[in-house]
Amino acid sequence: MDRKLGKICESEKDLRRSYGAILAGKIGQRLAALRAAETLEDMRPPALGRCHELTGDYDGCLSLHLNANWRLVFSPTEFTEDDQGGLDWSSVTSVTIEEILDYH
């Protein structure tokens, strides 16, 4: 996470100023869920933001839905691959927030 985004994510006031009250609330919820998760596998239930792997320009990253258009994009800090060469979600214990964006 770059320094500016890190500062914004650490402050409710800065989140509200940058993204508005409703979106800031969702961002806070998703960040809290990521902090509480023991592994990325804990983020699989759809109620936690429909966590999914990305492709294309964001290959290697994952995304959490914030609303219809906005996403919290992050990457695993360390991980292993599963038997098929994909991401072993149960091996991911920390992530790096890359962006908060509307990529639709």
Side-chain angles (χ1 to χ4, degrees):
M1 172 175 1
D2 71 21
R3 182 175 274 195
K4 181 179 176 185
L5 182 57
K7 182 180 180 298
I8 291 170
C9 287
E10 292 173 4
S11 165
E12 274 187 57
K13 182 180 176 181
D14 289 340
L15 276 172
R16 283 192 309 272
R17 186 179 306 130
S18 298
Y19 298 102
I22 294 172
L23 192 56
K26 281 291 187 185
I27 294 167
Q29 289 173 351
R30 299 300 184 245
L31 292 172
L34 283 168
R35 284 186 198 103
E38 288 186 32
T39 70
L40 191 56
E41 189 68 38
D42 296 338
M43 297 301 296
R44 280 207 191 255
L48 296 176
R50 295 181 293 210
C51 189
H52 62 280
E53 295 179 54
L54 300 174
T55 59
D57 291 342
Y58 292 97
D59 190 37
C61 291
L62 295 98
S63 169
L64 286 168
H65 287 232
L66 298 170
N67 66 19
N69 294 330
W70 285 84
R71 303 294 183 265
L72 175 69
V73 178
F74 61 96
S75 60
T77 305
E78 294 181 21
F79 65 93
T80 58
E81 294 181 348
D82 62 16
D83 295 339
Q84 290 82 29
L87 177 64
D88 177 5
W89 287 41
S90 64
S91 72
V92 178
T93 57
S94 65
V95 299
T96 299
I97 306 301
E98 301 291 343
E99 294 183 68
I100 299 169
L101 73 154
D102 177 352
Y103 61 58
H104 288 94

